[in-house]
Structure formats: C-alpha cells, structure tokens
Amino acid sequence: MQKFSYHTHTDFSDGSNTLEEMLQQAVVLGWQEIGVSDHLIVHKNITQSISYQNMIARAHSDMYHSDFKTALPFFNKHAEIFRKIAKKFPLKVYLGYEVDFFTYDGWQEEFKEFISRLDYDYLITGNHFFTNLDGTEIVDISQYKKCKDVRGGDSLENYLRRHYQTIVKAVESGLFDFLAHLDYARKIPEHQNFPMIAERLQIVDALQRHNVACEISTKGLRKIGDFFPENNMLAELIKQKVPLVISDDAHQTSELGYAFDAAEKTLNNGGCVMRYHLK
Ligand SMILES: [Zn+2]
Ligand SMILES: [Zn+2]
C-alpha cells in the first residue's frame, strides 16, 4: 500500500494541526516520506470577492494574498521555518504548495516570476474557485450560491464550464507536478444537472499530453462518499496512462492515510500501473 501522501495541510493554511504534529503522525504510520502542500492562493481581487467574508471565517486571512510581491517574503519565511522543523523528523519531508490557478491577464507571468524566487520542492494545482469571464472576479465554490450576485455574472453551468477550462489551462501551463481533486466541483449538488463530461475529459487529455500526474483523493470519500475523480474519469485516466497518486488531502493528523486501502483497491481493480512518485 502507498505509504505517503503528497497532499496534506497544516495550520499554516487551513489545517488543524501543526507541522510537527503532522510529521509525528506520519512517523507513527511508518511512512518514510511525506509532502506537505499548504494552500498558495494569490489573486489581485481576492479581498473583494463576494465570498471573502466566508473564506476568512473558515480559515485565517493570512491564507489569502492579493499580490505576489508581499506573498514572496511571507512564503519564503515559512520555508525557512518549515525546513528547520522537517530536519528533526526521521523521514523525507517535501515542501509543496496547493496552488489555485487564475486566468486574468498577467497572473501566469507573475506566478512564474514568483516561483523562480520561491523555496519549494513541488507544486500541485487544486482549484477551489469559480470565476467570471476574464478571471478577475472569484467566488469560493462552496459559496456558489453567491455567484448570482456577482456583477456581470452568469449561469452556474457557465461557471462550472469555466472552472474545468481553468483546470485545463493549469495543466497545460506545465507548472505543476500533479492535479488535485479533478472534479471537486461535484460537491455542489446541482453539478449533476450539468455533468460536464466533455470538459472533464479535456482535463484527462491535457494531463496525458503534458505528462502531468493526477491524484485519486480520499477526501471525496469524506465529503461526498466517492473519490475525486469519480469512477468513469478514473477509468479514462488509467486508460490514458496518466500517472496516479493516492492523496488524503489531510487537514488533521487523523486524516493521514485515510482510506488508502480502499483507494489502492480501486486503482488495482481498474488495472492502474502508472503510479506517480516525486523524484
Ligand atoms: Zn484543495
Ligand atoms: Zn488540499
């Protein structure tokens, strides 16, 4: 069974445990490696988001940044502390980030410049927002009902479609090691009215073409009783030989390795042979 996770959170972003507590639990589980991937979210209009008040009620406001310039020293300071703590534990610890990819003019260039100065080991793209047409206005997906109040906003169907198109762009950017929770938007009950099969298959296609890995997340089991991504997408990923990695998206120590046996079984039964591993 896979004895590591590369998608985990600490109280540096919205996790409940400290880095020390998470690493200690990984040692207890007998893991020899772990990746910690706290959120990295930078959007120029984030504080003006219609969902911002809800976002900061659920996690501390330090998690959200409106410019790369001030974010850089903040994250590099974190890296310094992180690496000191990691050294004290008898396992290999990778410093990663789960990055929301945005599509407004200039974001990608600024992000590239930012990561060229950032101390990190790997990057995941995990996308948690709906955006308007030019990407300048964002709404936290769990607050999707507020979308109707966005100036110049449109239908849920269009928000969903753009969300999946954003993920395709993130994959095509070549900036990320793997994709988190491909169809996280399934947590919205109304998603079933707009299945977005073609859009999701475009993500699978982009992963295959750009040789980017994808996770099977047991967080889906905790949230909606099913993996992210769902079975038909998983079958397609396996068929296209996209490398897969099991993630728990742990936000607390008790979630490390959560249902990895079930995920392992699903991958093996599906005939998955392409597994992802950080080099
Ligand atoms: Zn996420
Ligand atoms: Zn996460």
Side-chain angles (χ1 to χ4, degrees):
M1 197 170 68
Q2 186 184 302
K3 290 184 91 177
F4 60 84
S5 174
Y6 296 144
H7 186 167
T8 66
H9 297 269
T10 72
D11 61 359
F12 175 67
S13 63
D14 59 352
S16 344
N17 288 100
T18 62
L19 175 61
E20 288 93 333
E21 289 164 344
M22 294 299 273
L23 299 184
Q24 187 50 49
Q25 178 62 16
V27 171
V28 168
L29 291 170
W31 290 3
Q32 284 171 5
E33 60 175 311
I34 185 172
V36 179
S37 58
D38 276 305
H39 292 280
L40 198 169
I41 306 174
V42 185
H43 185 287
K44 64 179 179 180
N45 297 327
I46 199 155
T47 59
Q48 284 107 61
S49 166
I50 203 155
S51 56
Y52 188 66
Q53 290 311 318
N54 295 77
M55 285 152 57
I56 58 175
R58 281 188 296 123
H60 50 85
S61 57
D62 275 5
M63 211 178 107
Y64 305 107
H65 300 263
S66 47
D67 73 275
F68 285 106
K69 227 178 225 122
T70 53
L72 186 64
F74 179 84
F75 282 97
N76 276 339
K77 180 79 205 161
H78 169 65
E80 208 183 304
I81 298 165
F82 182 102
R83 301 228 185 256
K84 268 188 204 143
I85 293 170
K87 259 193 222 145
K88 298 184 199 157
F89 290 82
L91 78 173
K92 172 82 190 154
V93 183
Y94 295 100
L95 170 55
Y97 289 107
E98 180 183 10
V99 180
D100 275 89
F101 186 91
F102 296 115
T103 56
Y104 62 81
D105 272 355
W107 186 90
Q108 196 174 323
E109 290 68 30
E110 286 182 53
F111 178 66
K112 274 189 196 162
E113 164 71 14
F114 169 81
I115 58 174
S116 74
R117 296 155 186 264
L118 181 71
D119 176 15
Y120 71 97
D121 299 319
Y122 69 102
L123 298 173
I124 312 174
T125 183
N127 296 278
H128 310 86
F129 293 91
F130 283 144
T131 69
N132 66 341
L133 201 54
D134 66 4
T136 54
E137 295 206 46
I138 60 174
V139 181
D140 182 340
I141 286 183
S142 42
Q143 298 294 311
Y144 69 101
K145 289 195 169 136
K146 291 194 159 75
C147 282
K148 61 180 180 347
D149 302 324
V150 171
R151 228 173 341 109
D154 49 13
S155 64
L156 177 61
E157 184 176 9
N158 284 340
Y159 275 106
L160 275 169
R161 182 167 296 116
R162 275 198 297 276
H163 171 67
Y164 286 118
Q165 288 166 346
T166 298
I167 297 174
V168 169
K169 285 177 191 155
V171 170
E172 289 178 340
S173 75
L175 297 168
F176 303 101
D177 295 279
F178 68 92
L179 170 65
H181 46 62
L182 185 152
D183 50 11
Y184 166 85
R186 277 163 63 231
K187 69 190 227 168
I188 298 177
E190 289 87 335
H191 191 305
Q192 54 192 340
N193 305 328
F194 314 106
M196 301 281 148
I197 301 294
E199 286 78 2
R200 286 192 266 165
L201 286 173
Q202 275 167 17
I203 299 175
V204 176
D205 180 60
L207 290 164
Q208 191 272 331
R209 280 185 291 113
H210 294 267
N211 195 28
V212 177
C214 185
E215 73 174 17
I216 168 173
S217 171
T218 64
K219 182 187 191 167
L221 286 182
R222 301 195 298 275
K223 295 285 172 192
I224 60 167
D226 194 13
F227 295 111
F228 299 131
E230 72 178 335
N231 243 317
N232 52 355
M233 289 300 137
L234 208 49
E236 197 60 33
L237 287 159
I238 292 170
K239 195 171 124 197
Q240 300 294 333
K241 297 198 162 52
V242 172
L244 297 173
V245 63
I246 301 170
S247 292
D248 45 42
D249 201 349
H251 283 67
Q252 53 193 42
T253 51
S254 62
E255 291 172 352
L256 282 173
Y258 179 85
F260 274 20
D261 46 352
E264 198 74 55
K265 214 175 184 177
T266 299
L267 289 186
N268 290 340
N269 290 347
C272 172
V273 289
M274 296 298 286
R275 300 295 283 266
Y276 177 74
H277 200 273
L278 277 170
K279 283 145 211 102

